Amino acid sequence: MSSGGSVTVRHSKTRQPSCELVVAGEGETRQAVEGSWQAFERWGIVPAWERRRVISKVLGLLQERFPLLAEALHADAAVSDILVAADQRSATNLTDGAADTAINLDGWIPPTTDGALALVTRQPYGPVLSIPAFNYPLTLALRSIVYPLACGNTVILKSSILIPQLHNALARLFADAGLPDGALQIINFSEEDVAQRVEQLIADPLVRMVNFTGSTDLGRKLAAKCGEHLKPSVMELGGKSPATVLPSADLKLAANNILFGGIFNSGQVCMSTERILVHESVASDFEKELVIAAKELEGRDGFELVRPNAVEEIEAHIDEAIQAGAKLVYPSHPSPTSPASVHSTSCRPVILSNIPSHVFLATTESFAPVLSLQTFSNPSQALSLANGISTGLSSSIFGSLDEALPLAQRIEAGAVHINGMTIHDQHGLPFGGIKDSGWGRFNGRGAVEAFTWTRNVVWNGNGHLLPLQAL
């Protein structure tokens, strides 16, 4: 029996018990770290092609077990079929890419001033603490596992209390793929104990690195702990992604992509479109197209928010904005709660305009299907609005390439999508943000740079004597 005991997990919508979760206490947490370090001493020297073989086997088993993994996810949370399907495609791409990452940890031979032979090699850190978010369940969990493993690290994954059955099901998948015992540790914590246990993990000298995907507020606290203990980290934090609509834009395309990017997974995506910046010359026509697109969604039960009390929180923020002078563009009344359901987890899209700059929704991620409209008169003003908040994860621009590209080169975001929605991720593109959206990158080359360190090995031939008398 774990010293941490167990907790009852409840389904995000029904609030009925979904599972009894064994949680780790201080002793079990320490054992997980020690087990991860012992596994690293073996996995860290496994040839790259063997690491590639194991991750490729993970990919095959992953695809075979998609139905079981979806069942595990649905057991804990209300998620849409479109999310599950998109999540599975994304997870497939990233896992496939991570297998290739394992054989692309290339070093280099730089020229030297004294003619010595210098080799720069990449080395794994050791045990990596991975803390994925719940909202893109399979993708976020797998990328926090497969990229560190591909680079020769071992992983301690802290499961999410919102979707523990999915996260814990991954342990068997990796074991069946041939990953050595201990190289992946999945650990559960109670909500009461999680802060103390995570701090224990970050402070442990055997945990050599941390990667976290989640809110800016929590990321700031974890980053401070990493700094206190001099731990390198990858922080993929929140966003408030802008979509800029230029005069040359296809307004129907822009409305479609922006709305999809704003309400996919009920707005519970760090890359969700939340701010729409529209040139004043097309603002009226674009707003009409956006409302037409939104009306296509009417008649359904709404969109589920997974976090407890999320609907009540977003209702309060919408009320605050309207009381401060924001205009409700869609729907015709201010409550986001679905008219087809009285359940507190159901939410429907809301579009506002002219949100005053001092209210929550003007600058802070809503993590709900809420979008805001704002107009601009020239490219300089568009840039000022797009870059005028503290986060910088993703963005999009709709319009002709000659208009969009100069803006794209000056937008402060880790990604800019021209004539596409803000939600986009694939193995070949480094993924991460700047400013309050964090640092470090997942995927491909970005993952290699994030999850390895460089060692210089310099051969000085037969050596030479140094002038001791000159000291």
Side-chain angles (χ1 to χ4, degrees):
M1 181 64 180
S2 169
S3 65
S6 66
V7 296
T8 300
V9 177
R10 295 185 179 275
H11 190 273
S12 68
K13 182 176 178 65
T14 67
R15 305 310 299 164
Q16 295 300 308
S18 60
C19 68
E20 193 70 16
L21 187 68
V22 176
V23 295
E26 181 179 359
E28 290 80 14
T29 301
R30 178 60 186 171
Q31 290 170 13
V33 173
E34 292 172 347
S36 187
W37 179 261
Q38 292 166 7
F40 171 65
E41 292 180 324
R42 302 187 301 275
W43 181 250
I45 57 174
V46 165
W49 283 89
E50 174 62 12
R51 296 200 301 272
R52 181 180 187 273
R53 186 197 66 78
V54 171
I55 296 174
S56 294
K57 185 66 180 296
V58 168
L59 175 62
L61 293 176
L62 174 69
Q63 293 169 316
E64 289 178 12
R65 298 181 188 180
F66 275 155
L68 293 176
L69 294 170
E71 183 180 342
L73 175 61
H74 284 298
D76 288 326
V79 295
S80 66
D81 291 340
I82 190 174
L83 169 68
V84 172
D87 190 26
Q88 290 176 349
R89 288 193 299 272
S90 176
T92 296
N93 173 258
L94 296 189
T95 304
D96 191 20
D100 285 338
T101 296
I103 57 171
N104 281 286
L105 305 183
D106 49 336
W108 62 97
I109 303 176
T112 58
T113 57
D114 56 3
L117 175 64
L119 307 176
V120 182
T121 63
R122 289 201 170 273
Q123 306 296 323
Y125 281 98
V128 173
L129 170 60
S130 293
I131 309 176
F134 73 89
N135 53 300
Y136 219 63
L138 201 52
T139 297
L140 298 184
L142 282 169
R143 78 174 186 186
S144 74
I145 298 171
V146 293
Y147 284 117
L149 288 178
C151 294
N153 304 284
T154 52
V155 174
I156 303 166
L157 182 132
K158 187 203 81 66
S159 76
S160 169
I161 196 67
L162 298 173
I163 52 168
Q165 294 188 69
L166 173 66
H167 282 170
N168 282 272
L170 296 176
R172 173 51 56 192
L173 189 151
F174 279 84
D176 290 348
L179 186 69
D181 289 346
L184 173 61
Q185 306 267 350
I186 297 180
I187 194 163
N188 311 309
F189 299 130
S190 68
E191 292 182 276
E192 294 75 20
D193 206 27
V194 61
Q196 187 175 0
R197 297 284 73 79
V198 169
E199 184 173 349
Q200 176 189 345
L201 286 166
I202 294 174
D204 197 304
L206 295 183
V207 174
R208 296 299 175 86
M209 187 187 173
V210 176
N211 77 81
F212 169 72
T213 299
S215 71
T216 295
D217 286 346
L218 183 52
R220 183 175 283 110
K221 295 173 184 177
L222 293 175
K225 285 297 175 184
C226 289
E228 179 183 342
H229 297 285
L230 299 179
K231 296 291 171 74
S233 63
V234 172
M235 294 281 159
E236 196 266 273
L237 308 180
K240 186 87 175 168
S241 299
T244 304
V245 182
L246 301 173
S248 57
D250 178 330
L251 299 185
K252 186 173 183 179
L253 172 74
N256 170 274
N257 277 234
I258 288 170
L259 189 63
F260 194 101
I263 67 175
F264 177 75
N265 195 26
S266 307
Q268 298 169 122
V269 182
C270 55
M271 298 174 279
S272 290
T273 307
E274 294 211 16
R275 299 182 294 142
I276 311 170
L277 312 177
V278 191
H279 193 275
E280 59 188 13
S281 67
V282 295
S284 178
D285 289 340
F286 174 78
E287 183 176 314
K288 292 175 184 176
E289 291 287 356
L290 192 63
V291 171
I292 289 170
K295 287 182 176 178
E296 293 181 24
L297 303 170
E298 291 181 349
R300 57 177 294 168
D301 281 351
F303 297 80
E304 291 297 320
L305 299 183
V306 173
R307 294 181 300 112
N309 304 317
V311 170
E312 291 85 348
E313 291 174 6
I314 194 60
E315 282 181 327
H317 294 315
I318 291 170
D319 288 344
E320 177 200 25
I322 292 173
Q323 290 298 319
K327 174 190 172 186
L328 186 65
V329 175
Y330 179 87
S332 57
H333 60 84
S335 173
T337 304
S338 166
S341 172
V342 296
H343 208 284
S344 63
T345 63
S346 187
C347 179
R348 72 179 182 183
V350 170
I351 304 170
L352 300 168
S353 66
N354 302 320
I355 296 180
S357 61
H358 66 277
V359 303
F360 179 93
L361 288 177
T363 58
T364 307
E365 183 178 41
S366 70
F367 226 58
V370 177
L371 300 93
S372 65
L373 277 164
Q374 194 168 2
T375 60
F376 64 89
S377 58
N378 56 63
S380 178
Q381 187 183 18
L383 273 174
S384 178
L385 292 170
N387 296 337
I389 64 171
S390 64
T391 54
L393 187 59
S394 185
S395 62
S396 64
I397 304 173
F398 292 87
S400 63
L401 186 61
D402 61 326
E403 276 194 307
L405 190 56
L407 285 177
Q409 293 171 324
R410 297 175 63 191
I411 285 183
E412 297 171 349
V416 184
H417 304 284
I418 298 176
N419 294 327
M421 69 172 176
T422 55
I423 300 175
H424 181 269
D425 187 19
Q426 58 179 273
H427 163 73
L429 299 175
F431 183 80
I434 60 169
K435 302 194 294 187
D436 284 1
S437 289
W439 54 79
R441 295 294 184 264
F442 288 97
N443 304 350
R445 194 76 217 160
V448 172
E449 294 172 359
F451 293 107
T452 63
W453 54 276
T454 57
R455 173 189 285 143
N456 300 330
V457 179
V458 182
W459 181 55
N460 294 289
N462 294 324
H464 58 276
L465 297 176
L466 301 174
L468 291 175
Q469 66 277 14
L471 297 175

